[in-house]
Amino acid sequence: IIRAPFDGVLGIRKVSPGSLVSPGTLVSTLDDLEIIKVDFSVPETFLSSLSTGQTILANSSAWPNNPFQGIVTNISSRIDTVTRAVNIRAELNNADKKLRPGMLLTIALIKNQSSSMMVPETALLPIESKQFIYKIKGSDSVSKVQVSIGRRKPGKVEILKGISVGDKIVYEGVLRLQDGSKVNILNVQQDGSQQ
């Protein structure tokens, strides 16, 4: 009778019933697949932005459209003197048993995650060193509002202050507008909301 030290999934049996085995003979493999531990390294230049509890996204070529989310559980206390990288360990929830030990994963470590308000870049009107947006007031006119911008990504820009979530803005044809110009709101949705 062979008793496993923990619950898990057995792999392929390596010996047949009745075979003579000796200590150290591999009979089978046993894996607990509920939680998968992932070890990876990060260059030491990013050490200041690492912390336990950070979120990671892991992608596998076996499941290309299904990223797996995990949490950093441990950061090594030493830097590798050859690679100049620090080893990280994270845990992925694998309740659906899609991931297997030994798989190759691509890891995205999510740094400085925050919610922010973004608008299309086409909505910005730069004048000298300032940025403006035309905000719709009432139902048919606009007012020019100065905004502070933050980070950018292709086609979008973060707005730090100047407008609020839910404000209606003009994002096409801003070069032809002036403060107080009359506008017609297009793109009315089926539920009555406007874009």
Side-chain angles (χ1 to χ4, degrees), residues 2 15 18-28:
I2 300 174
V15 295
S19 297
L20 181 62
V21 296
S22 58
T25 301
L26 179 63
V27 177
S28 183

Side-chain angles (χ1 to χ4, degrees), residues 1-184:
I1 297 173
I2 300 174
R3 288 191 170 87
F6 58 86
D7 292 337
V9 178
L10 285 173
I12 296 173
R13 179 169 39 89
K14 302 291 184 182
V15 295
S16 300
S19 297
L20 181 62
V21 296
S22 58
T25 301
L26 179 63
V27 177
S28 183
T29 56
L30 177 67
D31 295 302
D32 180 1
L33 300 178
E34 291 292 323
I35 300 291
I36 295 291
K37 292 179 181 175
V38 180
D39 291 341
F40 59 99
S41 58
V42 173
E44 69 174 313
T45 53
F46 296 106
L47 188 60
S48 63
S49 60
L50 296 175
S51 64
T52 56
Q54 273 184 293
T55 302
I56 68 161
L57 289 179
N59 288 290
S60 165
S61 57
W63 310 99
N65 299 317
N66 185 10
F68 300 90
Q69 186 170 325
I71 298 293
V72 172
T73 57
N74 197 305
I75 301 168
S76 177
S77 61
R78 296 185 177 192
I79 303 293
D80 188 300
T81 56
V82 176
T83 63
R84 308 309 306 169
V86 62
N87 290 326
I88 309 288
R89 175 166 289 173
E91 291 184 356
L92 303 171
N93 187 345
N94 191 37
D96 54 9
K97 310 285 194 299
K98 288 183 177 179
L99 296 176
R100 303 290 173 92
M103 288 180 81
L104 183 64
L105 299 173
T106 303
I107 304 292
L109 182 62
I110 299 176
K111 172 188 162 192
N112 194 19
Q113 185 175 15
S114 63
S115 297
S116 63
M117 179 173 47
M118 299 195 87
V119 300
E121 274 186 319
T122 55
L124 288 178
L125 178 66
I127 300 176
E128 296 175 357
S129 61
K130 299 177 181 173
Q131 299 286 342
F132 295 89
I133 282 182
Y134 282 106
K135 178 178 165 182
I136 297 175
K137 59 179 183 179
S139 61
D140 64 348
S141 65
V142 295
S143 63
K144 187 165 67 172
V145 178
Q146 184 177 347
V147 294
S148 296
I149 62 172
R151 297 169 290 187
R152 290 180 183 256
K153 60 187 283 188
K156 295 191 178 291
V157 64
E158 180 184 28
I159 302 297
L160 301 175
K161 63 179 181 178
I163 59 171
S164 304
V165 174
D167 287 345
K168 295 180 183 74
I169 62 166
V170 176
Y171 61 89
E172 286 184 10
V174 295
L175 295 175
R176 298 184 300 241
L177 293 176
Q178 294 178 355
D179 203 20
S181 294
K182 299 292 184 187
V183 294
N184 291 322

